[in-house]
């Protein structure tokens, strides 16, 4: 089933096809959703330390294609671009086609021509986080300074080696940012509870997870996990994936009775409410 570019999730079939060829993580997510079984192995993804120059240039071209003319702030362009990407990939947080900003008429069509999804899948990296950081977003109130990939990788390995339980793990990330630590942990974990108070960073992390870590992007309810917009110090937040779900105290795992499903190519996958206990780890 093919979707036109105005429909929610129109880019998802291409993502699934590329993932099947290069990663295999979405197929494993689907298998877990249908069977309720925990995987014994997770397809490994090697994230690049600095990204791919061609992929970075492609994304810069996408950002430059958004306005019809003139200059706009990088954070403004990245914010709209991220919403457009999440809608195109069918993420439930962006269920309606984001309106084109003023002065950006025709941006959707231009983005569709510029985007090369295969480059992002074959060269895994936190590209939007990198672009946001290089444009000085960390100097704003967000105080965003992403962890270098090689440092995140070392931290992930150290965490797994010191864990008393074997993978697959549940991880807790109290300052998620754009998800670099979580991406490295996606080689060992199938459930994430990530907190971040900056909405744009949560959206970029969600986009990264849609590309590389579907267990984190769309948590399976029987395994727990959530992405929370909030402050772990106060324990107050709201789910990015399920906006009706609010948090009043720090929580590693949201209530598991929340059912979650995803329709892919006309097939609706429902979470199997497995009674199996998940492995646990604090990260």
């Amino acid at each position: 089933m093919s979707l036109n570019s105005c429909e929610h999730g129109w880019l998802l079939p291409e993502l699934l096809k590329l993932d099947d060829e290069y990663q295999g993580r979405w197929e494993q997510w689907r298998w877990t959703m249908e069977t309720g079984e925990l995987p014994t192995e997770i397809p490994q993804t090697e994230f690049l330390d600095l990204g791919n120059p061609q992929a970075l240039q492609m994304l810069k071209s996408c950002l430059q294609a958004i306005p019809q003319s003139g200059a706009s702030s990088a954070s403004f362009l990245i914010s709209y671009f991220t919403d457009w990407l999440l809608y195109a990939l069918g993420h439930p947080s962006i269920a309606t086609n984001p309106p084109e900003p003023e002065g950006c008429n025709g941006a959707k069509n231009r983005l569709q021509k510029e985007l090369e999804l295969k480059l992002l899948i074959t060269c895994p990296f936190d590209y939007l986080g990198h672009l946001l950081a290089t444009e000085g977003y960390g100097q704003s109130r967000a105080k965003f300074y992403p962890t270098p990939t090689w440092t995140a990788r070392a931290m992930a390995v150290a965490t797994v080696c010191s864990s008393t339980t074997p993978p697959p793990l549940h991880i807790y990330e109290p300052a998620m940012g754009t998800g670099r630590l979580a991406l490295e942990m996606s080689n060992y974990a199938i459930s994430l509870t990530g907190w971040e108070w900056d909405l744009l960073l949560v959206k970029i992390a969600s986009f990264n997870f849609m590309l590389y870590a579907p267990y984190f992007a769309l948590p399976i309810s029987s395994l727990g996990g959530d992405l929370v917009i909030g402050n772990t110090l106060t324990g107050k937040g709201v789910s990015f994936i399920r906006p009706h779900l609010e948090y009043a105290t720090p929580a590693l795992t949201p209530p598991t009775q929340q059912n979650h499903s995803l329709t892919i190519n006309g097939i609706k996958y429902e979470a199997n409410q497995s009674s199996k206990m998940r492995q646990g780890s604090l990260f």
Side-chain angles (χ1 to χ4, degrees):
M1 181 182 70
S2 61
L3 303 176
N4 66 56
S5 59
C6 293
E7 294 184 74
H8 189 230
W10 65 267
L11 193 57
L12 184 59
E14 182 179 349
L15 171 62
L16 297 179
K17 181 179 179 181
L18 290 169
D19 177 82
D20 186 57
E21 184 175 355
Y22 293 102
Q23 295 184 145
R25 289 190 166 190
W26 273 100
E27 173 58 25
Q28 188 181 74
W29 177 92
R30 181 199 62 79
W31 176 83
T32 305
M33 282 280 285
E34 291 186 338
T35 67
E37 299 290 329
L38 295 178
T40 56
E41 295 183 1
I42 300 173
Q44 299 293 286
T45 296
E46 183 177 350
F47 295 95
L48 302 181
D49 286 342
L50 298 173
N52 175 278
Q54 187 178 355
L56 278 170
Q57 185 55 52
M58 180 271 295
L59 290 174
K60 289 179 181 178
S61 297
C62 286
L63 295 174
Q64 293 168 0
I66 294 174
Q68 289 177 298
S69 61
S72 299
S73 70
S75 60
F76 170 80
L77 296 177
I78 291 174
S79 179
Y80 170 74
F81 186 35
T82 306
D83 283 353
W84 181 82
L85 288 166
L86 289 173
Y87 176 81
L89 292 173
H91 194 276
S93 66
I94 309 293
T96 58
N97 205 344
E100 294 174 339
E102 184 177 353
C104 301
N105 293 342
K108 295 182 177 70
N109 293 332
R110 293 191 293 274
L111 285 174
Q112 190 175 352
K113 293 177 181 178
E114 293 288 344
L115 182 67
E116 297 180 51
L117 193 61
K118 184 176 180 179
L119 272 177
L120 303 181
I121 296 300
T122 56
C123 306
F125 181 65
D126 172 27
Y127 290 99
L128 294 183
H130 172 81
L131 292 174
L132 200 63
T134 56
E135 292 296 331
Y137 194 69
Q139 299 172 12
S140 71
R141 66 188 186 93
K143 305 301 180 187
F144 169 60
Y145 302 98
T147 304
T149 302
W150 53 89
T151 303
R153 185 180 306 119
M155 293 176 68
V157 171
T159 298
V160 173
C161 290
S162 63
S163 175
T164 58
T165 54
L169 306 171
H170 173 86
I171 58 174
Y172 174 60
E173 170 57 284
M176 182 174 62
T178 53
R180 289 197 181 182
L181 291 173
L183 286 174
E184 290 295 336
M185 282 300 295
S186 70
N187 285 316
Y188 314 100
I190 57 174
S191 178
L192 162 72
T193 297
W195 283 64
E196 172 57 54
W197 70 273
D198 187 283
L199 178 58
L200 178 55
L201 302 187
V202 175
K203 289 180 177 180
I204 292 176
S206 297
F207 169 64
N208 285 333
F209 298 155
M210 287 293 288
L211 294 185
Y212 311 122
Y215 283 111
F216 298 169
L218 299 172
I220 297 175
S221 58
S222 60
L223 301 179
D226 200 0
L227 302 182
V228 183
I229 307 166
N231 189 328
T232 51
L233 297 179
T234 64
K236 294 182 179 180
V238 61
S239 171
F240 178 63
I241 302 169
R242 312 176 184 93
H244 60 278
L245 179 58
E246 296 184 357
Y247 292 83
T249 57
L252 295 183
T253 309
T256 58
Q257 68 268 23
Q258 299 291 335
N259 190 32
H260 191 75
S261 63
L262 180 68
T263 300
I264 300 177
N265 290 357
I267 302 174
K268 187 174 184 180
Y269 297 102
E270 296 284 355
N272 186 314
Q273 299 298 322
S274 172
S275 60
K276 294 189 176 183
M277 296 295 291
R278 64 182 180 279
Q279 308 283 359
S281 175
L282 182 64
F283 179 54

